[in-house]
Amino acid sequence: MPTFRTAQQICDHGFAPNEQLPALEAVAARYAVALPPALADLIDPNDPHDPIARQFVPDAAELDHRPQELSDPIGDDAHSPVEGIVHRYPDRVLLKLTPICAVYCRFCFRRETVGPGKATALSAAALSAALDYIRSRPKIWEVILTGGDPLVLSARRLREVMKRLAAIEHVKVLRIHTRVPVAEPARLTAELVRAIKVKGKPTYVALHINHPRELTAAARAACARMADAGLVLLGQSVLLDGVNDTPQVMSDLMRALVECRIKPYYLHHGDLAPGTAHLRTDIATGQDLMRALRGRLSGLCQPTYVLDIPGGYGKSPIGPDYLARTGSNGAAHFVVEDFNGRRHHYPPAG
Ligand code: SF4
């Protein structure tokens, strides 16, 4: 089965009804479409609410743009001093090598810039300029390769970039953000894994996974190849309506990640990307889910629930909060809530 890249292919293969074709063509004209076989195989075409289809099959609802939605919801552009670099926090930068992904998520916060015909891949000259920028700023401790999806690049190109980054003395940590292990697990060959594992500098791989079904046997094997090679795996998930917004699904997802040696890192609140209102939840739903996880799952399975503040102000944890200050005049008295919802004074009343 090929990767489906057009609205026509999506309808022809039964992932959307034919009468939606004109609307889906309008969606595909604006936002890139790619549904690779590894994910298409997971979709139950008879389930109108299939959580895999909701994430990857274009939907006419994407034409509904809300006033509060932003073309650059997390403010990358405001922090891009040279092509390919986003420098939002003092000690780390994003390095965007390519605008191409193995799959195009319908809620992507970079949907206006990812895909063929959007931004161009970083040229050799632009990459050298980006590396010069990093080299000349000793406060940059970590470089995060993001995208597009860096793991769509060849092992040769990745090896070259990783080696050049690792050679910068003050860069101590490298991180790669990717969806390839679930979208195209066969790409994670031993050669590609060797290419991203550089000597002397730890490499973290943050995997974007939103539903436990994405962790197929092939995806688990790809994760195992990375973990066995000494790469540290982190999980990033986006909270999505109808995909993972129930305690059962979210618990299953977090446990599945940990079983694959992927430490849940962030649960992102859905960004205000254009045409994604049908997939966003409210923050109260996210906080209730986090409380449900706290009550029933190991500490290893707890992500931090974060909001990327629109406008480029960075991420903030958004609760829920278990601690409330009581008393007055600066007395350090608190009430802390346990995982059963019971409240306790701290320090305890003597
Ligand atoms: S893989 Fe990442 S960058 Fe690519 S479409 Fe999905 S969320 Fe966006």
Side-chain angles (χ1 to χ4, degrees):
M1 200 195 291
T3 293
F4 302 130
R5 298 187 183 276
T6 66
Q8 184 76 60
Q9 291 170 331
I10 294 286
C11 291
D12 286 352
H13 287 84
F15 296 116
N18 267 321
E19 55 271 23
Q20 284 190 14
L21 182 59
L24 298 193
E25 281 179 333
V27 171
R30 176 144 187 195
Y31 306 116
V33 172
L35 177 61
L39 292 170
D41 274 353
L42 297 178
I43 295 174
D44 174 359
N46 298 316
D47 177 0
H49 308 293
D50 184 275
I52 307 299
R54 265 182 90 66
Q55 294 185 72
F56 307 119
V57 172
D59 190 312
E62 293 173 53
L63 299 172
D64 170 16
H65 292 155
R66 303 288 169 91
Q68 72 272 29
E69 292 176 341
L70 303 163
S71 60
D72 178 19
I74 71 164
D76 279 356
D77 290 350
H79 298 281
S80 185
V82 297
E83 189 186 346
I85 293 277
V86 177
H87 196 176
R88 198 186 326 270
Y89 305 98
D91 72 336
R92 55 205 183 273
V93 292
L94 305 184
L95 176 58
K96 298 186 197 176
L97 297 172
T98 173
I100 301 301
C101 299
V103 61
Y104 292 103
C105 312
R106 307 323 300 165
F107 48 86
C108 175
F109 63 108
R110 296 203 176 105
R111 59 189 336 215
E112 299 280 8
T113 54
V114 295
K118 299 277 175 103
T120 49
L122 217 54
S123 67
L127 175 61
S128 289
L131 295 175
D132 286 346
Y133 179 90
I134 296 168
R135 209 175 282 117
S136 62
R137 283 165 180 77
K139 286 195 179 134
I140 297 175
W141 173 83
E142 180 184 19
V143 177
I144 301 161
L145 303 188
T146 182
D149 195 319
L151 295 194
V152 301
L153 299 172
S154 68
R156 185 189 56 76
R157 174 114 165 103
L158 283 166
R159 187 179 309 110
E160 178 221 325
V161 173
M162 296 297 279
K163 274 191 174 163
R164 289 172 77 182
L165 286 168
I168 301 173
E169 174 66 27
H170 56 264
V171 172
K172 302 295 186 193
V173 172
L174 303 172
R175 194 191 330 165
I176 295 173
H177 283 205
T178 184
R179 221 168 182 351
V180 165
V182 294
E184 223 182 310
R187 277 197 72 77
L188 265 294
T189 58
E191 187 194 7
L192 193 113
V193 171
R194 273 197 306 275
I196 57 176
K197 172 83 179 69
V198 288
K199 254 205 179 121
K201 301 274 164 98
T203 301
Y204 288 71
V205 180
L207 297 99
H208 176 176
I209 302 173
N210 297 332
H211 192 277
R213 257 164 53 198
E214 293 171 49
L215 280 163
T216 59
R220 286 170 188 251
C223 294
R225 286 195 287 281
M226 290 190 285
D228 289 347
L231 297 162
V232 185
L233 307 185
L234 303 171
Q236 293 207 95
S237 305
V238 181
L239 174 58
L240 295 168
D241 180 279
V243 174
N244 56 18
D245 58 342
T246 65
Q248 189 61 57
V249 173
M250 191 57 82
S251 301
D252 290 350
L253 172 62
M254 294 301 141
R255 281 193 167 143
L257 291 172
V258 172
E259 287 162 18
C260 293
R261 291 180 276 172
I262 305 167
K263 170 70 187 93
Y265 177 40
Y266 283 144
L267 174 64
H268 294 272
H269 189 72
D271 292 307
L272 292 171
T276 62
H278 60 297
L279 290 167
R280 274 195 302 277
T281 66
D282 57 19
I283 287 179
T285 301
Q287 292 183 329
D288 287 349
L289 272 177
M290 290 299 295
R291 279 185 190 281
L293 294 187
R294 179 65 59 192
R296 52 201 270 176
L297 297 192
S298 154
L300 284 176
C301 301
Q302 308 290 333
T304 303
Y305 180 38
V306 292
L307 174 72
D308 243 304
I309 304 169
Y313 300 100
K315 289 180 194 59
S316 280
I318 51 173
D321 204 349
Y322 294 90
L323 189 69
R325 194 171 185 126
T326 62
S328 54
N329 300 327
H333 288 124
F334 299 90
V335 171
V336 61
E337 190 183 322
D338 69 24
F339 69 93
N340 285 314
R342 293 174 303 213
R343 291 165 192 271
H344 310 268
H345 285 275
Y346 184 87

